[in-house]
Amino acid sequence: MNEEAINSLRDFLDGAFRPGETVILEYSSEVPIHVVFAFLLRLSREWGYSVVVDDIVDALPRITRLLEMGGLGGQFLDEDGIYVIKIGGNERTGNVVAHLRFSSDYYVQRAEYRRAFDRISLERGFVINLVLGFDRRLLMTDSHYDRFLFTVGGAPYLGNRKRIALYFLNRDILEEYPAETSILEEIATSIVRLGWEDGNFVVEFTRTVKKPPSKILRVPGELVVEYLGGEGVE
Amino acid sequence: MGLLDALEMGETVLILYGSENPPYALIAGIFEFAKRKNFSVLVDDILDMLHVYLVNMELRGFDVYSLKNASVFKIGGMVDSGNVLFESGIDEDVEIYMSRYSHNFLKFLEGQSEVINIVLGFDKLLAYYSGDERSQRRLVGGISRLTGKGRISFYFVNSDVLKALGKVRALLVDSATTVMEFGVEGERQRLKVLRSPKVGMMGRGVEVTRT
């Protein structure tokens, strides 16, 4: 019964998102998101995709630290085919191919980012783009106008078949910005919401193109950790 | 769709919806309605929302041919969708581009008998001016000036974005002649009339299905 949940999830994820999609993964603070990140990274690599991680203001080192502390090791990023574009921050983890200065100016940041991303895209073709820390970016952008531009800034990339983008958004951080959150959700092609209850990931397929196994799927945390080859949950 | 047939020429219809359930089927339905009645369609594409809807609708298997080839007035944004007849940035003062927009809009109306106007992203434009109530009021005021002219305008507004808009929210709702809500009830998508000039229409709902 338990095994079914993780298999259901894998089956759903296989072909769930099409090239050109922008997927929002919303989670609340109690969710062990580092496990989710490692899981999606592992699956992407298993399926032969190159991965580009947007590491905004050291969001990635935070995750790898949690993975190490959680007995899951930090080897996830050491493979070929995983690239990191760092935006701001100080701690370099993984294969950092570009380290951009954090800019609150939307146009400046976009131009620099595009250059870095296109370079990888040219080399590797299709990539899975895991975006970490976008929620913090909004928090750190004081100018309302720039924050708004970043919010709608993802829209032109929709339909870009060279990637599927997955934004990790902490709902509690974004509580401050309900309008921006709603706009991000509307622009996205799929929304998946994550909760955590009694040792289970509670996965809600809020809006997806592919029909999910059920609207809500509970996946035991231990199973995911096992799949990742971890030491198990105490 | 019976609810659309009850609309009068000149109306400004506000369609409220949530991010979890964007009104793809309704937009497709309005295009069919326009085709049936032989009305022209003009899409106001604000901040690339037409592109967002095209991608989402295509992904979900909708026939987007009419949408892709619609006449478009583009305001802000970077991606051209449809047949762009008029384009304006949003960098200047609201009054400036609004008067250009109105001028061109009225000219477009002159050349047509009856027009269905689909407005995507107006709520985002208001959100852009968050804190600048004067500009927000001007934008909403502009709607009233076009109400009564030879078009039925559908303003698609995300309720969650609307909620965060503060004072101008009531002004916007007040400017509409008809207010409808697009939502989900169980497995079905429904369109419900919240307010209408025709009292008998109020509270009426219809299921919106894909053809």
Side-chain angles (χ1 to χ4, degrees), chain A residues 27-38 63 66-67 72 194-197 199-201 221 224-225:
Chain A
Y27 63 97
S28 40
S29 300
E30 73 267 13
V31 175
I33 199 65
H34 55 294
V35 174
V36 179
F37 174 79
I63 292 231
L66 288 170
L67 286 169
L72 290 162
L194 292 176
W196 176 263
E197 215 176 72
N200 294 298
F201 286 104
V224 184
V225 168

mmCIF file of all heavy atoms in Angstrom, chain A residues 27-38 63 66-67 72 194-197 199-201 221 224-225:
data_model
loop_
_atom_site.group_PDB
_atom_site.id
_atom_site.type_symbol
_atom_site.label_atom_id
_atom_site.label_comp_id
_atom_site.label_asym_id
_atom_site.label_seq_id
_atom_site.Cartn_x
_atom_site.Cartn_y
_atom_site.Cartn_z
ATOM 1 N N TYR A 27 5.109 25.048 -1.109
ATOM 2 C CA TYR A 27 5.186 24.231 0.091
ATOM 3 C C TYR A 27 5.159 25.126 1.312
ATOM 4 O O TYR A 27 5.461 26.306 1.244
ATOM 5 C CB TYR A 27 6.467 23.375 0.066
ATOM 6 C CG TYR A 27 7.730 24.189 0.075
ATOM 7 C CD1 TYR A 27 8.413 24.435 1.267
ATOM 8 C CD2 TYR A 27 8.254 24.721 -1.107
ATOM 9 C CE1 TYR A 27 9.580 25.192 1.284
ATOM 10 C CE2 TYR A 27 9.413 25.480 -1.097
ATOM 11 C CZ TYR A 27 10.069 25.711 0.099
ATOM 12 O OH TYR A 27 11.215 26.458 0.107
ATOM 13 N N SER A 28 4.768 24.537 2.431
ATOM 14 C CA SER A 28 4.762 25.313 3.669
ATOM 15 C C SER A 28 6.014 24.953 4.470
ATOM 16 O O SER A 28 6.648 23.927 4.221
ATOM 17 C CB SER A 28 3.498 25.048 4.471
ATOM 18 O OG SER A 28 3.153 23.689 4.432
ATOM 19 N N SER A 29 6.347 25.792 5.422
ATOM 20 C CA SER A 29 7.616 25.692 6.148
ATOM 21 C C SER A 29 7.907 24.357 6.807
ATOM 22 O O SER A 29 9.076 24.043 7.012
ATOM 23 C CB SER A 29 7.709 26.795 7.204
ATOM 24 O OG SER A 29 7.629 28.036 6.590
ATOM 25 N N GLU A 30 6.879 23.587 7.147
ATOM 26 C CA GLU A 30 7.173 22.330 7.867
ATOM 27 C C GLU A 30 7.565 21.190 6.917
ATOM 28 O O GLU A 30 7.939 20.111 7.349
ATOM 29 C CB GLU A 30 5.980 21.902 8.729
ATOM 30 C CG GLU A 30 4.802 21.360 7.970
ATOM 31 C CD GLU A 30 3.774 22.425 7.651
ATOM 32 O OE1 GLU A 30 4.116 23.621 7.812
ATOM 33 O OE2 GLU A 30 2.651 22.080 7.242
ATOM 34 N N VAL A 31 7.481 21.435 5.626
ATOM 35 C CA VAL A 31 7.822 20.386 4.663
ATOM 36 C C VAL A 31 9.336 20.243 4.531
ATOM 37 O O VAL A 31 10.036 21.241 4.363
ATOM 38 C CB VAL A 31 7.223 20.732 3.275
ATOM 39 C CG1 VAL A 31 7.674 19.724 2.217
ATOM 40 C CG2 VAL A 31 5.705 20.775 3.358
ATOM 41 N N PRO A 32 9.862 19.013 4.613
ATOM 42 C CA PRO A 32 11.311 18.814 4.415
ATOM 43 C C PRO A 32 11.641 18.928 2.935
ATOM 44 O O PRO A 32 11.809 17.928 2.221
ATOM 45 C CB PRO A 32 11.563 17.395 4.949
ATOM 46 C CG PRO A 32 10.242 16.713 4.922
ATOM 47 C CD PRO A 32 9.178 17.755 4.966
ATOM 48 N N ILE A 33 11.709 20.139 2.454
ATOM 49 C CA ILE A 33 11.817 20.414 1.030
ATOM 50 C C ILE A 33 13.136 19.925 0.427
ATOM 51 O O ILE A 33 13.220 19.656 -0.770
ATOM 52 C CB ILE A 33 11.586 21.931 0.751
ATOM 53 C CG1 ILE A 33 11.237 22.160 -0.718
ATOM 54 C CG2 ILE A 33 12.789 22.763 1.178
ATOM 55 C CD1 ILE A 33 9.907 21.524 -1.132
ATOM 56 N N HIS A 34 14.144 19.762 1.275
ATOM 57 C CA HIS A 34 15.434 19.293 0.752
ATOM 58 C C HIS A 34 15.270 17.892 0.168
ATOM 59 O O HIS A 34 15.898 17.554 -0.842
ATOM 60 C CB HIS A 34 16.509 19.306 1.835
ATOM 61 C CG HIS A 34 16.171 18.532 3.071
ATOM 62 N ND1 HIS A 34 15.145 18.894 3.922
ATOM 63 C CD2 HIS A 34 16.719 17.413 3.602
ATOM 64 C CE1 HIS A 34 15.073 18.026 4.915
ATOM 65 N NE2 HIS A 34 16.018 17.114 4.746
ATOM 66 N N VAL A 35 14.412 17.098 0.794
ATOM 67 C CA VAL A 35 14.160 15.737 0.308
ATOM 68 C C VAL A 35 13.448 15.787 -1.046
ATOM 69 O O VAL A 35 13.756 15.012 -1.959
ATOM 70 C CB VAL A 35 13.299 14.953 1.333
ATOM 71 C CG1 VAL A 35 12.915 13.595 0.790
ATOM 72 C CG2 VAL A 35 14.047 14.813 2.649
ATOM 73 N N VAL A 36 12.514 16.725 -1.165
ATOM 74 C CA VAL A 36 11.770 16.883 -2.422
ATOM 75 C C VAL A 36 12.735 17.277 -3.534
ATOM 76 O O VAL A 36 12.686 16.743 -4.644
ATOM 77 C CB VAL A 36 10.671 17.960 -2.266
ATOM 78 C CG1 VAL A 36 9.920 18.140 -3.580
ATOM 79 C CG2 VAL A 36 9.707 17.574 -1.155
ATOM 80 N N PHE A 37 13.594 18.209 -3.216
ATOM 81 C CA PHE A 37 14.570 18.675 -4.208
ATOM 82 C C PHE A 37 15.449 17.523 -4.680
ATOM 83 O O PHE A 37 15.630 17.312 -5.881
ATOM 84 C CB PHE A 37 15.444 19.791 -3.608
ATOM 85 C CG PHE A 37 16.556 20.221 -4.515
ATOM 86 C CD1 PHE A 37 16.314 21.078 -5.578
ATOM 87 C CD2 PHE A 37 17.856 19.743 -4.315
ATOM 88 C CE1 PHE A 37 17.341 21.458 -6.441
ATOM 89 C CE2 PHE A 37 18.890 20.127 -5.173
ATOM 90 C CZ PHE A 37 18.636 20.981 -6.239
ATOM 91 N N ALA A 38 15.993 16.771 -3.718
ATOM 92 C CA ALA A 38 16.866 15.647 -4.069
ATOM 93 C C ALA A 38 16.107 14.612 -4.898
ATOM 94 O O ALA A 38 16.634 14.049 -5.855
ATOM 95 C CB ALA A 38 17.443 15.020 -2.807
ATOM 96 N N ILE A 63 19.906 23.916 1.120
ATOM 97 C CA ILE A 63 19.324 22.602 0.848
ATOM 98 C C ILE A 63 20.367 21.493 0.997
ATOM 99 O O ILE A 63 20.098 20.456 1.612
ATOM 100 C CB ILE A 63 18.707 22.569 -0.561
ATOM 101 C CG1 ILE A 63 17.494 23.488 -0.608
ATOM 102 C CG2 ILE A 63 18.385 21.154 -0.995
ATOM 103 C CD1 ILE A 63 16.236 22.905 -1.154
ATOM 104 N N LEU A 66 21.030 20.726 4.603
ATOM 105 C CA LEU A 66 19.955 19.919 5.190
ATOM 106 C C LEU A 66 20.077 18.469 4.762
ATOM 107 O O LEU A 66 19.857 17.550 5.550
ATOM 108 C CB LEU A 66 18.582 20.470 4.768
ATOM 109 C CG LEU A 66 18.161 21.794 5.402
ATOM 110 C CD1 LEU A 66 16.905 22.334 4.725
ATOM 111 C CD2 LEU A 66 17.910 21.632 6.891
ATOM 112 N N LEU A 67 20.461 18.259 3.512
ATOM 113 C CA LEU A 67 20.612 16.898 3.016
ATOM 114 C C LEU A 67 21.736 16.182 3.759
ATOM 115 O O LEU A 67 21.603 15.028 4.151
ATOM 116 C CB LEU A 67 20.904 16.893 1.509
ATOM 117 C CG LEU A 67 19.709 17.221 0.614
ATOM 118 C CD1 LEU A 67 20.138 17.447 -0.834
ATOM 119 C CD2 LEU A 67 18.670 16.109 0.666
ATOM 120 N N LEU A 72 21.502 12.203 4.083
ATOM 121 C CA LEU A 72 21.297 11.893 2.666
ATOM 122 C C LEU A 72 22.511 12.248 1.837
ATOM 123 O O LEU A 72 22.534 12.055 0.623
ATOM 124 C CB LEU A 72 20.056 12.627 2.159
ATOM 125 C CG LEU A 72 18.764 12.070 2.732
ATOM 126 C CD1 LEU A 72 17.620 13.043 2.596
ATOM 127 C CD2 LEU A 72 18.416 10.749 2.071
ATOM 128 N N LEU A 194 2.467 21.242 -1.682
ATOM 129 C CA LEU A 194 2.984 20.227 -0.767
ATOM 130 C C LEU A 194 2.739 20.577 0.678
ATOM 131 O O LEU A 194 2.995 21.699 1.110
ATOM 132 C CB LEU A 194 4.501 20.096 -0.939
ATOM 133 C CG LEU A 194 5.028 19.517 -2.245
ATOM 134 C CD1 LEU A 194 6.545 19.575 -2.232
ATOM 135 C CD2 LEU A 194 4.582 18.082 -2.400
ATOM 136 N N GLY A 195 2.292 19.571 1.433
ATOM 137 C CA GLY A 195 2.158 19.756 2.869
ATOM 138 C C GLY A 195 2.865 18.586 3.527
ATOM 139 O O GLY A 195 3.422 17.712 2.843
ATOM 140 N N TRP A 196 2.847 18.573 4.832
ATOM 141 C CA TRP A 196 3.498 17.483 5.561
ATOM 142 C C TRP A 196 2.637 17.134 6.755
ATOM 143 O O TRP A 196 2.266 18.020 7.525
ATOM 144 C CB TRP A 196 4.889 17.922 6.021
ATOM 145 C CG TRP A 196 5.619 16.923 6.871
ATOM 146 C CD1 TRP A 196 5.691 16.893 8.232
ATOM 147 C CD2 TRP A 196 6.379 15.801 6.411
ATOM 148 N NE1 TRP A 196 6.451 15.849 8.652
ATOM 149 C CE2 TRP A 196 6.888 15.156 7.557
ATOM 150 C CE3 TRP A 196 6.691 15.283 5.153
ATOM 151 C CZ2 TRP A 196 7.698 14.012 7.486
ATOM 152 C CZ3 TRP A 196 7.496 14.148 5.079
ATOM 153 C CH2 TRP A 196 7.986 13.523 6.231
ATOM 154 N N GLU A 197 2.268 15.853 6.885
ATOM 155 C CA GLU A 197 1.377 15.461 7.960
ATOM 156 C C GLU A 197 1.694 14.048 8.401
ATOM 157 O O GLU A 197 1.670 13.134 7.575
ATOM 158 C CB GLU A 197 -0.049 15.500 7.424
ATOM 159 C CG GLU A 197 -1.092 15.940 8.416
ATOM 160 C CD GLU A 197 -2.437 16.037 7.719
ATOM 161 O OE1 GLU A 197 -3.004 14.974 7.397
ATOM 162 O OE2 GLU A 197 -2.881 17.161 7.464
ATOM 163 N N GLY A 199 4.336 12.334 9.095
ATOM 164 C CA GLY A 199 5.375 11.586 8.394
ATOM 165 C C GLY A 199 5.133 11.404 6.900
ATOM 166 O O GLY A 199 5.897 10.717 6.229
ATOM 167 N N ASN A 200 4.074 12.021 6.390
ATOM 168 C CA ASN A 200 3.786 11.888 4.964
ATOM 169 C C ASN A 200 3.866 13.218 4.241
ATOM 170 O O ASN A 200 3.460 14.249 4.779
ATOM 171 C CB ASN A 200 2.360 11.365 4.748
ATOM 172 C CG ASN A 200 2.181 9.971 5.253
ATOM 173 O OD1 ASN A 200 2.822 9.033 4.794
ATOM 174 N ND2 ASN A 200 1.308 9.824 6.233
ATOM 175 N N PHE A 201 4.336 13.163 3.012
ATOM 176 C CA PHE A 201 4.198 14.314 2.136
ATOM 177 C C PHE A 201 2.759 14.296 1.661
ATOM 178 O O PHE A 201 2.263 13.255 1.224
ATOM 179 C CB PHE A 201 5.110 14.189 0.897
ATOM 180 C CG PHE A 201 6.555 14.417 1.183
ATOM 181 C CD1 PHE A 201 7.437 13.347 1.261
ATOM 182 C CD2 PHE A 201 7.050 15.709 1.377
ATOM 183 C CE1 PHE A 201 8.779 13.557 1.528
ATOM 184 C CE2 PHE A 201 8.393 15.921 1.643
ATOM 185 C CZ PHE A 201 9.260 14.841 1.725
ATOM 186 N N GLY A 221 7.228 9.912 3.918
ATOM 187 C CA GLY A 221 8.554 10.508 3.840
ATOM 188 C C GLY A 221 9.645 9.457 3.831
ATOM 189 O O GLY A 221 10.618 9.557 3.079
ATOM 190 N N VAL A 224 10.514 8.008 0.462
ATOM 191 C CA VAL A 224 11.289 8.880 -0.416
ATOM 192 C C VAL A 224 12.748 8.848 0.010
ATOM 193 O O VAL A 224 13.656 8.760 -0.809
ATOM 194 C CB VAL A 224 10.755 10.336 -0.380
ATOM 195 C CG1 VAL A 224 11.504 11.210 -1.370
ATOM 196 C CG2 VAL A 224 9.267 10.358 -0.693
ATOM 197 N N VAL A 225 12.965 8.893 1.314
ATOM 198 C CA VAL A 225 14.328 8.857 1.840
ATOM 199 C C VAL A 225 15.016 7.545 1.452
ATOM 200 O O VAL A 225 16.167 7.532 1.032
ATOM 201 C CB VAL A 225 14.313 9.030 3.373
ATOM 202 C CG1 VAL A 225 15.674 8.714 3.964
ATOM 203 C CG2 VAL A 225 13.904 10.450 3.733
#
